Amino acid sequence: MYGNDFSEPPEQPGARSLLDQVADAERDLELAAQQDRPTGTEDDYFMAVIAADQKIEPRDWMPEKYRKNLIRQIAQHAHSEIIGMQPEGNWISRAPTLKRKAILLAKVQDEAGHGLYLYAAAETLGVDRAELSDMLIDGRQKYSSIFNYPTLTWADVGAIGWLVDGAAIVNQVPLCRASYGPYARAMIRVCKEESFHQRQGYEILHVLSHGTPEQKAMAQDAVDRWWYPSLAMFGPPEGESPNTAQSMAWKVKRFTNDELRQRFVDMCVGQAEILDLTLPDPGLVWNEAEGRHDYTQPDYDELFRVIKGNGPCNRERITHRKAAHEGGQWVRDAAEAYAKKKAKVSA
Amino acid sequence: MNAELATADLNLGDDALIAAQRLAEWTSRAPELEEDVALANIALDLLGQARMFLSRAGDEDELAFLRTDRQFTNVQLVELPNGDFAHAIVRLLFFSAYQRELYTAMAGDEIADKAIKEVDYHVDHARLWTLRLGDGTDESHARAQAAVDELWPYTHELFEGNDLRAGWLAAVEPVLAEATLTRPEDGWAPTGGRQGLHTTHLSYLLAEMQVLHRAHPGATW
């Protein structure tokens, strides 16, 4: 009744194995915690923990660059959850049935929860959430490029669930094994809910593509518009991604952008067939020799334009966030003043 | 089902639905992330209540998406535009305290029994924020008082045809007092919602809520 109550969706190739990988990562994390920790000082200890696939914890020494890199990545991840509430939130008021409205509202609420969870993980690295919020608003930190695209029809809500959340999961499942413990644990929790969201999106598209001709056209149009921005979510190709090599050595990242993008394409092709929808790439063909699909790369010039702030909705997204944050200052001030008064009374 | 009960279900379902629609407008706009979560959570609870009441009265989607503003019977309090956060909180205090009285009086009713657990939480959330805003800073106090003054007249409609006002006053007045807010004098008492006579705001709310559903007659989603 309260949202997540839809019946079993049609078969969705690849979805189960992703969840299995999350479960595996969770089990390995528990096993690693039971092992003895390496001995050594500072850098030796740090490298030994990572080599043993154990987790670096907030109390541990870590290289300053590792800390900074993680703050950047986790904060960007948290910001993406928060900004990501806007494109979908845009359709809560107009969802076509009460059940869909409830599911969407629950999903957007989950995103706020993920943001909170990730900010908490970032704070274990010695940074303040308020500071991260400011850095988002004044553009010093980024969020995922995908949320700078507009949600023009209801089918976009389905396409975001299927493609955007799908890409996010493919990206995040390996992060369940990231070497930094709080991040890995956050990812395990987030991935479980995200995979539910992805199923919901897939189900929305499935209903539309098997509905009236207008609904089917709406679904196809949404997939046509969201396919390439979703592929671009994995970031620039090999060689143009400045952080990849170091992140992989530190076992924060486990795969390159291109490897994950390929995995996503291979997963989507079978799902698109069941949806009876076309992926907008005439170059998309099965490559028997390589055991994977060949596909046309996204327009990376467009990706860089969007990352630099010139996508369709960048200004709108930040203006919205800024208005909420600044417009709420008097409320946060009130809560603080009240808490101080109460502390004084009880002291 | 008897006609009186069906009407009651419609009234309560419409109250909860329109309140949920307004509250959901806060999503991604709240003063802090914790409040985004909380307000969405409350909106979701109310939407769940709306679905249960409307389903008992008929088909929830037909009722929600295919009636006009003249056919909706929610109280006017829940349809007023959002205003600032103080308005959201004071409205939630007034409305959820009313729901608590009502659902308590309906004890034994399956939906009311389920909903009251949620409503207890809503009242508590609204009470705590009313205290913070009323007894916080000068600005928050002024905003909270303005919200109380603006919304108070619309609370009279909640108690037409029932005897719940005394219990409601006993719950609300101490919260306002503790929050250093002044309880307004009774006076103007706008009414009409239960007869489908609304403020001009409801028609816009429905236009937005119903637009997609109405654009595709008979489609399933």
Side-chain angles (χ1 to χ4, degrees), chain A residues 93 96 100-101 129 320 332, chain B residues 21 28 31 34 208 213 221:
Chain A
S93 65
R100 291 290 176 206
K101 188 192 291 287
R129 177 175 136 196
H320 181 112
R332 297 190 297 278
Chain B
Q21 183 79 1
S28 82
E34 285 81 352
E208 185 174 352
H213 189 98
W221 300 92

Side-chain angles (χ1 to χ4, degrees), chain A residues 1-3 5 82 85-86 89-109 111-113 115-116 119 129 133 153-155 203-204 207-208 210-212 214-215 218 320-321 323-325 327-339 341-342, chain B residues 17 20-21 24-25 27-34 36-38 40-52 54-55 60-61 64-65 84-86 114-115 118 128-129 131-137 139-141 143-144 178 205 208-213 216-221:
Chain A
M1 197 83 201
Y2 290 83
D5 66 335
I82 299 311
M85 295 168 73
Q86 292 180 39
N90 179 45
W91 279 91
I92 294 172
S93 65
R94 292 172 292 164
T97 68
L98 295 186
K99 179 173 130 180
R100 291 290 176 206
K101 188 192 291 287
I103 292 173
L104 182 58
L105 187 51
K107 180 184 175 182
V108 177
Q109 186 197 15
E111 284 162 3
L116 280 171
Y119 282 127
R129 177 175 136 196
S133 265
T153 72
W154 168 252
E203 206 220 2
I204 287 175
V207 171
L208 292 178
H210 294 82
T212 66
E214 291 79 11
Q215 286 177 305
M218 191 193 280
H320 181 112
R321 183 89 286 269
H325 185 72
Q329 188 61 51
W330 68 271
V331 177
R332 297 190 297 278
D333 289 346
E336 202 183 321
Y338 180 77
K341 279 184 206 175
K342 290 291 126 177
Chain B
L17 177 60
Q21 183 79 1
E25 289 174 17
T27 309
S28 82
R29 291 182 173 85
E32 48 188 37
L33 296 177
E34 285 81 352
D36 265 316
V37 175
N41 198 55
I42 295 170
L44 207 48
D45 286 344
L46 290 171
L47 183 53
Q49 293 170 20
R51 294 182 66 190
M52 289 189 284
L54 293 181
S55 294
E60 62 173 25
D61 288 326
F65 294 98
D84 66 9
F85 186 70
K114 189 170 176 350
E118 299 166 348
L128 288 171
W129 269 111
L131 298 182
R132 290 185 195 112
L133 297 181
D135 195 15
T137 64
E139 181 183 5
S140 70
H141 176 86
R143 284 176 182 260
E178 192 184 343
L205 181 151
E208 185 174 352
M209 186 172 86
Q210 298 176 338
V211 61
L212 179 59
H213 189 98
H216 298 265
T220 52
W221 300 92

